[in-house]
Amino acid sequence: KAGVTQTPRYLIKTRGQQVTLSCSPISGHRSVSWYQQTPGQGLQFLFEYFSETQRNKGNFPGRFSGRQFSNSRSEMNVSTLELGDSALYLCASSLEDRGEQYFGPGTRLTVT
Amino acid sequence: QKEVEQNSGPLSVPEGAIASLNCTYSDRGSQSFFWYRQYSGKSPELIMFIYSNGDKEDGRFTAQLNKASQYVSLLIRDSQPSDSATYLCAVIGGTGANNLFFGTGTRLTVIP
């Protein structure tokens, strides 16, 4: 069974621009969660989608948004990029609530 | 504020020894507990999960959970140089189906 895939793997953007990242979960997994990883803050939860609905949201500004499609693929969008948004963005999928989450390889975003 | 705390290390053990990694959490309602291994430049890889008090063994890995003490640990027996990585403790709290709260990670080095 294929794992979680994320595209693109690397991105370089300029302050003020916006970016869209994509995640395809493991087949059959309907929950997709997004996380931001930085050296200073570690791994932090952004939001979770299940059956095209956002169920949970972390403590991030409204510039961070996401959506999920009927095939469970998910996208996250960051608008008006700031230097501090430079991070590894990870998505994870899970089969069950409170169950195991499997991470994709991540998208490394650099904002200059 | 849900918190997950780990000793940041670094922890060094000789090859063949037992590595012991510890984690405490603040939310008494937490229900699911996970250990991830993250190699430098890679995404987190799920290596153990535990939902009930007691021990759970999988090969060279043993996870231990004590909900009364709000403590979860990971033992790695017969440590190998390939076990050298950062180990992340993660907890799903009492609310929010799939929000993973991560510790800052313990960096383990296994010395040949």
Side-chain angles (χ1 to χ4, degrees), chain B residues 3-112:
Chain B
E3 288 186 354
V4 179
E5 297 195 11
Q6 298 179 249
N7 290 333
S8 59
L11 174 66
S12 294
V13 300
E15 183 174 355
I18 296 175
S20 177
L21 305 164
N22 304 314
C23 172
T24 59
Y25 59 94
S26 62
D27 183 3
R28 282 199 170 274
S30 298
Q31 299 183 22
S32 307
F33 306 85
F34 308 90
W35 284 98
Y36 287 86
R37 176 175 64 197
Q38 188 172 26
Y39 293 112
S40 181
K42 301 294 185 182
S43 64
E45 174 193 8
L46 180 65
I47 54 171
M48 287 291 288
F49 57 90
I50 186 166
Y51 302 141
S52 303
N53 273 331
D55 294 0
K56 179 182 177 183
E57 187 174 317
D58 184 0
R60 296 187 295 112
F61 299 99
T62 298
Q64 300 173 315
L65 174 62
N66 183 326
K67 288 187 178 181
S69 300
Q70 296 176 242
Y71 177 91
V72 58
S73 66
L74 178 70
L75 300 177
I76 306 174
R77 291 182 300 281
D78 187 24
S79 295
Q80 301 297 309
S82 59
D83 295 327
S84 299
T86 296
Y87 289 80
L88 298 158
C89 172
V91 172
I92 290 180
T95 58
N98 284 330
N99 300 22
L100 273 175
F101 293 91
F102 283 87
T104 53
T106 298
R107 185 171 181 83
L108 172 67
T109 300
V110 180
I111 303 166

Side-chain angles (χ1 to χ4, degrees), chain A residues 45-109:
Chain A
F45 172 77
L46 280 157
F47 30 66
E48 184 227 354
Y49 287 87
F50 181 87
S51 293
E52 303 179 66
T53 300
Q54 186 183 90
R55 288 201 299 190
N56 299 288
K57 190 175 192 310
N59 188 26
F60 279 82
R63 299 185 298 107
F64 292 81
S65 63
R67 59 178 174 168
Q68 187 180 35
F69 302 94
S70 59
N71 62 358
S72 294
R73 189 177 70 85
S74 177
E75 290 181 345
M76 69 164 279
N77 184 277
V78 188
S79 63
T80 318
L81 284 166
E82 301 177 358
L83 294 178
D85 296 333
S86 294
L88 179 65
Y89 290 89
L90 294 155
C91 83
S93 75
S94 62
L95 183 61
E96 301 173 329
D97 284 352
R98 299 184 174 83
E100 305 92 83
Q101 292 189 31
Y102 298 91
F103 283 86
T107 295
R108 173 77 61 185
L109 172 65

Side-chain angles (χ1 to χ4, degrees), chain A residues 5-18:
Chain A
T5 59
Q6 291 186 246
T7 56
R9 294 292 310 278
Y10 303 91
L11 266 178
I12 300 176
K13 291 286 187 179
T14 304
R15 272 181 301 175
Q17 288 185 313
Q18 74 168 24

